[in-house]
C-alpha cells in the first residue's frame, strides 16, 4: 500500500532527527502515538483507519526500541 510506504518514510525521517537521544525519541514517539489517537474516528473510512492504526503501531514499536536503547545506554554507563 502506497500510504504505508509514506508513513514508513515519514517515521524514518522523524527517527533520524533524534537518533542519538533516546530520551527525546521516547517522548516524540509517544506524543505522535497519542496524537494519532484523535484520528481514530468510527465514522472514518476504513482505509484511513487502517493507515492511522498502522502509523500508531509503528510509532509504538519505535518508542519501544528507544526504551530498549536507553536501557542499554544506562547499563553501559
Amino acid at each position: 500500500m502506497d500510504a504505508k510506504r509514506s508513513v514508513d518514510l515519514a517515521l524514518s525521517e522523524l527517527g533520524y532527527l533524534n537518533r542519538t537521544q533516546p530520551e527525546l525519541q521516547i517522548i516524540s514517539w509517544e506524543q505522535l502515538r497519542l496524537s494519532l489517537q484523535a484520528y481514530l474516528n468510527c465514522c472514518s473510512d476504513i482505509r484511513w483507519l487502517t493507515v492511522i492504526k498502522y502509523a500508531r503501531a509503528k510509532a509504538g514499536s519505535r518508542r519501544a526500541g528507544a526504551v530498549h536503547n536507553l536501557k542499554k545506554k544506562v547499563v553501559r554507563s
Side-chain angles (χ1 to χ4, degrees), residues 28-29 37 41 45 67 70:
S28 297
W29 293 126
Q37 179 69 33
N41 184 335
D45 186 286
V67 168
L70 181 62

Side-chain angles (χ1 to χ4, degrees), residues 1-74:
M1 177 182 254
D2 204 29
K4 287 185 178 181
R5 272 186 258 149
S6 296
V7 167
D8 287 338
L9 180 62
L11 292 178
S12 68
E13 289 177 9
L14 180 61
Y16 182 78
L17 294 175
N18 296 327
R19 71 185 183 285
T20 59
Q21 300 170 322
E23 298 89 353
L24 285 178
Q25 282 185 337
I26 293 167
I27 293 167
S28 297
W29 293 126
E30 186 62 17
Q31 285 177 342
L32 176 61
R33 202 180 67 73
L34 292 173
S35 297
L36 289 171
Q37 179 69 33
Y39 295 99
L40 289 175
N41 184 335
C42 64
C43 300
S44 297
D45 186 286
I46 190 71
R47 294 170 294 184
W48 173 253
L49 293 175
T50 301
V51 171
I52 295 298
K53 287 179 183 178
Y54 178 78
R56 286 190 77 234
K58 285 291 203 174
S61 176
R62 298 275 179 108
R63 182 192 175 282
V67 168
H68 177 73
N69 290 339
L70 181 62
K71 286 180 181 178
K72 282 192 334 188
K73 184 178 174 182
V74 170

